[in-house]
Structures are given as structure tokens and as C-alpha cells.
Amino acid sequence: MSTGPPALPAGYDWASILVPGHCYVNNYTVGIPVTTYGYGCAPHFYCPNATAAVVASLPQLCPATIDCQLIRLGQDFCEPQGPYEPRVCPHGRYCPNGSSSILCPQGTWCPVGTITPRPCPPLSSCPAGSTVPVSYGGMIACLVIDVALAAALILPRALLGTASQKPPGGAAQRVMAWLRGRRARANAAARTVPEDEEALRAAAPEAPLPHGEGGAPSELADFVAYFTKALNGRTDVGMEFRFEGLGLSLPGGKSVLAGVTGEIKSRRLTAIMGPSGAGKTTFMNVLMGKVNRTSGTLKINGHPAEMRKYKEIIGYVPQEDIMLRELTVREIISHSARIRLPRSWTAAEIEDYVDAVLNVLNLVHVQDNLIGDETTRGVSGGQRKRVNIGMELAAVPLALFLDEPTSGLDSTAALKVAEILKQIAATGLTVVSVIHQPRYEIFQQFDDILMIAPGGETAYLGPTAYVIEYFEKLGFYFDPRANPADILMDILSDKGVNLSRHYTPSDLIAHWASTGKAWVASVTTTGGGTGPVADAAAAADEVSTTPEDLVRIAAGRGASFVRQAVLCHNRYMVQQYRRSVALGLEIGVASLAGGLMGIAIADVNGELYKGILVSPYELISASTLEWLVPQIGLLVGIACGLAGAPAGVKVFGEERSVYWREAASGHNKLAYYLGKTVSTTYRFVITALHFAAIFVWLATPASSFGFLFVQILLLFYCVYGLSAIVSMLVRREDAALLAVVTCLFAAVFCGYGPTIKNARSWGLEFVWVLSFNRWSTEAMFSQELSVYDGVYNTSMTADHYGYTLGHEGLNFAFMLLLGNVFRFAAFWCMVLLHRDKQK
């Protein structure tokens, strides 16, 4: 390459080369000689007429005609303005040297300035003269996935054949019944030692079991057998609670629970009653350790201990029916069982135990029905309450606490729940329930009753059979036509009818402390028991469980970390399957966004960038198109935020209460989080694939489909992670909007405007560093411009925006890092916020 004017033949000088008439603008104009490459062109350029044999053919740049200027202003190259003016190798052709321009052959593509044709990527179309490849591989992948998804939704509905062969219920329920039948047959085949089951039944307590609707002894046999198996065959295992002076004072000094003393016995159903605001739920929360008490002591089986130490073997049924509404009755109870039962149990044993729980709760006939919600028909309110109880019974607890399990039910459904609780207590559990204004038949189901007066102190604790007699001795009148439970509530509310004197709640508390406890103890000792359940409990082995025994039993409970993660993953997959409309909507939004963006830039024919030509050809450059790629990066980031953020907040935001309940019962928090996080990956992979496939097919960028798919996939990965943080911080109703706004902010800080160069001058570059769309746009910018290395002055354009070229892998690594950081932050927000609800 010559660095100065070329050597001229003897007898010639510059005047013989730069002669007028070599530029088309007019016959008098002289061109500007280009001597850098002698009588040749730079690589990527075409100078067909320049040859050292003709001295006057030295490449030169001519002034442009009006027509040429208009073409260049339209961001295109005009024809050379003189016979010796260089030009960039045109798109659709390649120039192996400065004197040859060859049509790009079929199967290859040639952007502007091509020296060697580029091979057409797999699953792409490149006819002869192609400027960019037209990729259809992504569209084929989308078609295959869409057909598979449609088949997964449609085929199960026809799985059972003709209508005459179908059991009652909807399509989903029929499919679940068919699958359950197959599972039952597989479990039966896998059961190789049926003698063990008979041995379990033989080892069950001989205590008489109560008869009644939904709870005959035959229905309880399997439940009792597996209950005994979970306790290693022991029948003397139980939990009894003795508490003294339990109190809770608020930071301001107000006392909400004051000095509750008493005991709760094993194999008995105990009610906690009191007027609204008396502290019933507070007492249960303090007793269970959900709220730290400010005074008092607690003993379990005669030893000082705290319940939170044994949460794997203690069940808590909240007042609200907290469960996933997209699942069926069996799926909910089965998930709880698989997570919380002893690790030594086989899958067949777990499913058999779930059958026993469904039997005890009289839920067999609705086991394949969805729970349902306000918009989806599901099980009834009473059945949902029983599912709420079944979630805890699935863990084979030694103690079961319930907060108003009959709330919101009609009297018949409430009685059914009470009868079931009575039967469960008879199997060996300690069952404690807060109850509010029960009907008389429900009141009779309870063995013991703790009455809490306003102010949070004990007014009575003892057998239900003696509570009326106790208050009658104080002079209170019980109308035989009224519900005794209602009269007791009136007494605690200072509205009872007393024929001898007036007792305030404070008087009742004082009387109980002075003489009431002693009276109940005496009549209980000499009264001969309180009914068949009490007789059964007395006949059973005495509870002799030590704290070490309880710790040993609790330690053996719960699936492994990996197993819990897999179960949570599978459960969310089922939820997404049931939310197929939402998935379809997300895919549709992403496809529409990709399509609109592809159509918007389709007219540039894949040439998304045009810059200033490299030296020394700057003067023949067309108007630049340097801003389009950063703008596309901005719009792609916005579109991914709009398509992904509303779905991303629902992953955790829609079921925070479910997480709180499961965390409180001993579920591994990280396993839950990882399982759901992994299961969402398939969702946004499909969404990103549709976005990328349609965008690449219509826009035909120079970047490969694979590159753009990875870019958009990482964008969705970051959007979902950032949305997870938002869902942990705000209310569910506000999360979707705030997540979209947050992702829009992240999309704006991509370097399009304000540029990264501006941010550096302001000292705010760290904001752009934290924006995942900055790294996405920089990667796309670098990839698109790499096609034009040696043609345009790409470094000047990159310097204008502040981008770094040639580090696409590092850009993607930063996006992956930010996505992981978002998920890490979301996990700690999930764990550290609302810790009181996770106890």
C-alpha cells in the first residue's frame, strides 16, 4: 500500500491526471485524488476503472450532482459521480478485489461491503443476490410448540372416549379420575408386602371409634393404621400442653392476653370460646409461638419447651381457606403429604394415606374437583374447609390447632366439620379449635372448653359436660329453650341473667382463680368421665413421650431438599397448565409485539445500520442510520417488559399467603423458591421464542436468529426476576402496574437517550450499569455493526453512544448476572419480610 502519491510515468504530471471532465457534475470540475491505495481500492470497495496502465484513472472523489445528493440524503448510495470514483461493494454482491463485483450466489448472503459471501444459516432462505438471510427456523419451532401445547390441552378432554363411558363431572375431573385409576393400579402392583398393612391395623389402639356420618370405624381404620406407622408403631405418643400465666403486652403497654393458665390434653377435642376481641386467636398464636409471649411458661408433656421446635408434627388450620385454587382436592392434600410425611414412606404408602385422609374427611367423591374461586366453579364452602383441615392431617400431626374452622359455614356444614374433628381426636391427636357461637350440637362435640373473658384471662377451663353446672352454681340462669353456647357467650360479655348477684367478667376471672379450678378438678376426678371419647382416652395407653422422642419423630419428617424442589416445580407446572388462557395471552402479546416491531423496520431490508464510510471515502457516504439499532434495543426492552412483567409478578405475588402457611409448617423456603423459579423458565422461553421468531422473520436483521433469541430470552429472564422483587414488596393489586413501570425504567436506560456517554459525564453511569437493557442493546448494537467492519467507521458511532464493541458474550453474562441478582434479592425479600406470618 502506498503512503503518498503514486509514481507517475515519465512525461506525466498531476495536471495530466486531474483533468476536467472526469466528474459528471459538469465538464469543468476536477475530482479529489485518493492516493492511499494507489490505483486500487480499499477492501470492501469497488473501483472497476482504476488501473495503473491509464495514468488518468487514479481513483478520485467528485462533487455530487443534485440527484446524487438527494439519494444520499435518503440513506442510500448513488452511482459513482465519475468514471474513476470508488464505490462501496453493493449489497447482494461481493467484491473479492477492487475490480470485481459478483452476484451473491444462492445459499449465501452479502451485505454492503462483502468480500467473501457469508453462508446461509440453517433453516434460513438465501436466494441469489440476498442481502440478509430470511430465517424461518424460529417459526417452525413455534409451530411445533404451539401444536404440542394445543394437543396437551385438547387431547385429555377426549381421553376417556365416548360420553357413555365418562364418569360425571367436567373434562378435567374425568381425566384426573382416569389418571388416578392408573395410579391406584400401579400402587397396588408395587405393594409387595401387604402383611405390613395388616400389622399396622393390628397395632392401632383398641379405643372405640365413634360412629357417625362420614366417620364410621371402617373409614378410620386406614387413617389410624398409617398414623401408627408414622409414629414407628407406638400408640403412647402424644402431645399435652400445660401453660401458666401466658400473657402478651403490646409495646405501648396494653395487655391483650393476661395470665391464661391451664392444660390441653391428648386425645381430646378442646374448644376455645370467648366474645369478639377477648383474645382467643391471640392465645392460640401465643401458645403456638407464632407471637412471642411477654410472660408465662409452657410445658409439653411435662417438660419446658416451645412449639416452634416441633412444627413438623404440629398442624395449624387458619381461619381463611389458604390453598391454591387451580388444584384439585386430592392434589392439594397429596402435595402436603409428600412434603411433610416421613422420608421413609414410599409413593404408594403416601397415596394410600391420602386416600385414608380423604375418606375420613368425606371428600372422596370430590377428590378430583378443582377447589375453584370466585370466577371458577369448584367445591362447596364446607368441602373447602375440610380440605383446609386435610392439608394438616396429611402430615400426621400429633397436635392440630384450628382457628374458627366453622366460620362462614351453614350450621349443617359446621356440624359436619365438628363431627370430623371429634373423630380425629379419638384417633390419638390433640385437637384444639377456636370456635365462635356454635350451635348446641356442635358445642356437644367438644370434650373440653377454655373460656376466655374480655381482657384475655381464663373464666373456665375443663370438661364441656360440667361448664353449665359450673355457671349455674354461680347463679346464672340457662333457658332450656336457648342454646347453652349462646348463654355462655352472654355471660362472658356481661349480659348473662343471674338470679343471685351480678358477675362482671373480672368477677368471673377472680372466681375461677380462687375456687373454680379446684371445683372442676374435684368433679372431674369423681364424676366418672365425660363420655365415650373420654372413656376411650382413659383406656388407651398414657402419653409417655419425652422431648427427645418428639425431636426424633420431627427429625424424620419432611421430604429432602431436592424432592421438595421437584414437588414445588411440578405443582406450579400443573398451575400453569390450568392457567392456559393466561399463558396463551402472554404468548400472544409477545408475538404481537415482535410482529409490530418487525413490520415497523421491514422497509430497511435488513440494513439496520449505516454510518460514515471508512477513511478515505468519507465524502461519498450516505446519510447515516446510526440511531436505529439503539432505538430497536429500547423498543425490544419495553416490549419484553410489557409482555413479561404482568406474568412475572403472578409467580409469587398471587400466592404469598400459601407460601406463608407452608413456611410456617416446615416447608423448605429455598426449595419452594427454586422449584417455582425453574418451572417459570419454560414459560418465558416459549414467550421469548415467539417474540424472536416473528421479529427476525419480518425484520431480517443481520444478527442471527440464535443470537437474538438468546438476547430476548435474557431480557425476559431479567424482567421476571425484577417482577419477582416487586411482587414481594407491594400488594398484589398494585404489583402488575408497578412491575411494568419498573421494567420500563430499566428499558429506557439502554443508552439510546440519554446515552451512556452522557451518563458518564453526569457521574451516573452506575444507573445504566444496573439496567439489563443497556447490556442487551449494547450486545445487539455490537453484533449488527460487526457485519460492517471495514466498511463504516463503527468505532465513531460506538463512541457517540458510549458502547463497547466486540464484547457480546460479556454483555450476555452481565444480563445473566443481573437476572440472578434480582432472583437472589427476591428470595431474601420473601424470607425476611412478613416473618411473623412464617412462624
Side-chain angles (χ1 to χ4, degrees):
M1 183 189 303
S2 176
T3 59
L8 301 178
Y12 288 86
D13 56 18
W14 282 108
S16 63
I17 296 174
L18 303 177
V19 295
H22 284 179
C23 291
Y24 300 147
V25 63
N26 57 54
N27 292 329
Y28 306 101
T29 303
V30 176
I32 301 173
V34 178
T35 62
T36 306
Y37 296 92
Y39 280 89
C41 284
H44 309 285
F45 286 82
Y46 180 47
C47 304
N49 299 323
T51 172
V54 180
V55 174
S57 68
L58 185 72
Q60 53 191 282
L61 308 180
C62 293
T65 64
I66 296 297
D67 290 340
C68 178
Q69 293 180 40
L70 292 175
I71 292 173
R72 288 176 178 175
L73 287 174
Q75 299 174 337
D76 204 353
F77 296 105
C78 63
E79 292 298 319
Q81 296 300 286
Y84 307 121
E85 184 175 77
R87 66 173 298 178
V88 66
C89 188
H91 55 71
R93 306 183 71 86
Y94 69 100
C95 304
N97 52 61
S99 59
S100 302
S101 175
I102 305 172
L103 182 67
C104 198
Q106 184 176 0
T108 62
W109 59 288
C110 303
V112 167
T114 297
I115 298 176
T116 303
R118 301 168 183 263
C120 197
L123 299 177
S124 299
S125 173
C126 297
S130 294
T131 302
V132 287
V134 178
S135 174
Y136 56 83
M139 298 296 291
I140 293 176
C142 289
L143 180 62
V144 171
I145 290 175
D146 291 345
V147 170
L149 290 175
L153 292 172
I154 296 172
L155 289 180
R157 289 171 168 79
L159 191 61
L160 295 181
T162 62
S164 60
Q165 297 172 316
K166 298 177 183 178
Q173 287 74 22
R174 294 195 297 269
V175 171
M176 290 305 301
W178 179 78
L179 292 175
R180 187 172 57 82
R182 291 192 61 185
R183 181 176 61 233
R185 289 190 293 273
N187 289 348
R191 206 179 290 126
T192 57
V193 282
E195 298 83 7
D196 290 350
E197 187 172 332
E198 297 303 323
L200 288 175
R201 296 193 181 196
E206 295 298 328
L209 298 174
H211 293 259
E213 183 183 358
S218 60
E219 295 176 340
L220 285 171
D222 286 340
F223 180 80
V224 175
Y226 278 99
F227 187 94
T228 306
K229 174 181 173 60
L231 302 178
N232 301 320
R234 294 181 58 176
T235 60
D236 61 339
V237 177
M239 298 186 77
E240 295 188 343
F241 308 97
R242 185 181 298 274
F243 41 90
E244 184 173 351
L246 289 187
L248 175 65
S249 298
L250 300 179
K254 180 181 178 181
S255 177
V256 293
L257 193 69
V260 179
T261 300
E263 65 176 327
I264 297 174
K265 299 177 181 179
S266 177
R267 295 188 175 94
R268 296 175 73 81
L269 177 58
T270 302
I272 301 175
M273 289 182 60
S276 298
K280 304 182 296 296
T281 300
T282 300
F283 165 73
M284 180 176 287
N285 289 335
V286 169
L287 182 65
M288 296 190 66
K290 292 180 177 293
V291 178
N292 294 326
R293 62 180 180 270
T294 55
S295 62
T297 59
L298 172 65
K299 292 183 178 181
I300 300 177
N301 293 349
H303 302 272
E306 298 297 332
M307 284 201 199
R308 66 173 67 97
K309 187 177 180 180
Y310 309 110
K311 60 182 178 181
E312 292 84 1
I313 53 177
I314 296 177
Y316 173 70
V317 180
Q319 181 176 348
E320 300 81 10
D321 299 326
I322 300 174
M323 60 192 71
L324 297 173
R325 302 308 175 92
E326 302 90 351
L327 302 184
T328 66
V329 170
R330 185 182 187 89
E331 286 168 347
I332 287 176
I333 297 177
S334 181
H335 178 83
S336 181
R338 292 172 181 175
I339 291 285
R340 301 169 66 183
L341 282 174
R343 289 184 287 275
S344 59
W345 283 28
T346 65
E349 290 172 329
I350 292 174
E351 291 305 317
D352 286 345
Y353 177 66
V354 171
D355 289 335
V357 172
L358 292 169
N359 228 350
V360 168
L361 297 175
N362 195 23
L363 292 171
V364 174
H365 62 293
V366 294
Q367 62 179 309
D368 295 318
N369 288 12
L370 297 178
I371 295 299
D373 54 21
E374 294 78 7
T375 60
T376 304
R377 183 177 180 180
V379 297
S380 67
Q383 291 165 343
R384 194 159 54 239
K385 284 290 183 183
R386 282 178 268 157
V387 175
N388 204 12
I389 298 170
M391 292 172 66
E392 301 305 318
L393 289 183
V396 189
L398 293 181
L400 184 64
F401 292 82
L402 306 98
D403 188 4
E404 298 195 25
T406 61
S407 177
L409 301 181
D410 60 71
S411 58
T412 302
L415 178 59
K416 167 67 76 176
V417 170
E419 290 174 343
I420 290 172
L421 293 177
K422 177 95 167 181
Q423 296 154 14
I424 291 171
T427 65
L429 275 73
T430 303
V431 183
V432 183
S433 174
V434 172
I435 199 76
H436 188 68
Q437 288 186 312
R439 61 186 275 190
Y440 182 61
E441 292 84 354
I442 295 175
F443 181 73
Q444 286 183 310
Q445 300 295 321
F446 290 93
D447 300 307
D448 296 320
I449 182 171
L450 167 62
M451 301 186 66
I452 299 180
E457 296 190 61
T458 307
Y460 177 86
L461 173 59
T464 307
Y466 298 123
V467 64
I468 296 176
E469 181 181 353
Y470 172 77
F471 283 101
E472 284 180 336
K473 287 184 176 296
L474 296 181
F476 287 100
Y477 171 70
F478 283 78
D479 189 335
R481 297 168 298 178
N483 180 3
D486 292 337
I487 296 176
L488 290 173
M489 295 295 289
D490 289 340
I491 292 173
L492 293 179
S493 302
D494 198 15
K495 296 179 181 179
V497 177
N498 196 297
L499 303 178
S500 57
R501 55 162 290 186
H502 176 249
Y503 279 92
T504 65
S506 298
D507 295 334
L508 296 176
I509 294 169
H511 185 272
W512 169 256
S514 60
T515 61
K517 286 190 289 185
W519 181 86
V520 169
S522 66
V523 297
T524 302
T525 303
T526 60
T530 62
V533 174
D535 297 337
D541 295 335
E542 294 295 328
V543 174
S544 59
T545 317
T546 65
E548 292 75 18
D549 294 331
L550 296 177
V551 170
R552 193 178 304 112
I553 293 171
R557 298 293 181 89
S560 65
F561 173 85
V562 173
R563 178 63 175 160
Q564 289 193 39
V566 170
L567 289 172
C568 290
H569 167 277
N570 294 346
R571 180 176 67 173
Y572 192 64
M573 291 297 292
V574 173
Q575 289 180 256
Q576 293 183 91
Y577 177 81
R578 304 261 167 79
R579 297 174 184 168
S580 55
V581 174
L583 176 60
L585 182 62
E586 184 179 354
I587 293 174
V589 170
S591 301
L592 180 62
L596 291 176
M597 291 189 59
I599 292 172
I601 61 175
D603 61 335
V604 301
N605 298 318
E607 294 185 282
L608 306 184
Y609 171 76
K610 293 177 182 177
I612 301 296
L613 292 173
V614 296
S615 181
Y617 306 117
E618 296 96 330
L619 293 180
I620 61 173
S621 299
S623 179
T624 61
L625 190 63
E626 299 175 325
W627 51 267
L628 183 57
V629 176
Q631 186 185 76
I632 293 173
L634 168 66
L635 296 177
V636 167
I638 291 175
C640 290
L642 291 174
V649 296
K650 291 183 178 181
V651 176
F652 295 100
E654 291 287 313
E655 53 183 74
R656 281 197 294 179
S657 58
V658 173
Y659 159 73
W660 294 333
R661 176 176 183 175
E662 293 183 346
S665 64
H667 288 219
N668 188 288
K669 300 173 184 178
L670 181 58
Y672 166 84
Y673 186 80
L674 286 179
K676 285 183 66 70
T677 299
V678 171
S679 65
T680 60
T681 303
Y682 318 121
R683 184 188 191 101
F684 63 74
V685 165
I686 295 174
T687 305
L689 179 64
H690 282 73
F691 187 109
I694 297 177
F695 173 71
V696 171
W697 182 55
L698 294 173
T700 61
S703 301
S704 67
F705 167 74
F707 178 89
L708 287 173
F709 170 63
V710 172
Q711 175 196 349
I712 294 170
L713 176 63
L714 289 173
L715 276 173
F716 274 100
Y717 183 72
C718 292
V719 165
Y720 266 69
L722 189 57
S723 299
I725 296 177
V726 173
S727 70
M728 303 295 180
L729 298 176
V730 301
R731 296 186 312 159
R732 182 184 65 180
E733 296 82 1
D734 304 326
L737 177 60
L738 185 58
V740 168
V741 172
T742 304
C743 291
L744 289 181
F745 271 103
V748 167
F749 295 118
C750 67
Y752 172 65
T755 66
I756 300 171
K757 191 174 182 178
N758 296 143
R760 290 194 185 109
S761 66
W762 301 336
L764 297 175
E765 187 181 4
F766 69 92
V767 177
W768 277 252
V769 170
L770 295 175
S771 168
F772 52 82
N773 200 37
R774 173 258 171 96
W775 304 106
S776 169
T777 305
E778 184 172 278
M780 186 179 189
F781 185 86
S782 179
Q783 185 72 6
E784 287 292 327
L785 268 61
S786 67
V787 175
Y788 304 104
D789 285 342
V791 180
Y792 298 118
N793 191 342
T794 56
S795 60
M796 182 175 66
T797 307
D799 180 67
H800 169 73
Y801 286 101
Y803 292 132
T804 302
L805 300 178
H807 294 88
E808 294 92 330
L810 185 62
N811 296 140
F812 286 164
F814 269 110
M815 293 179 71
L816 184 63
L817 176 63
L818 284 172
N820 290 335
V821 168
F822 293 154
R823 283 162 172 75
F824 183 80
F827 172 72
W828 284 110
C829 287
M830 183 184 76
V831 172
L832 298 178
L833 298 177
H834 306 286
R835 296 183 66 183
D836 57 316
K837 298 179 180 179
Q838 302 176 42
K839 293 182 178 180

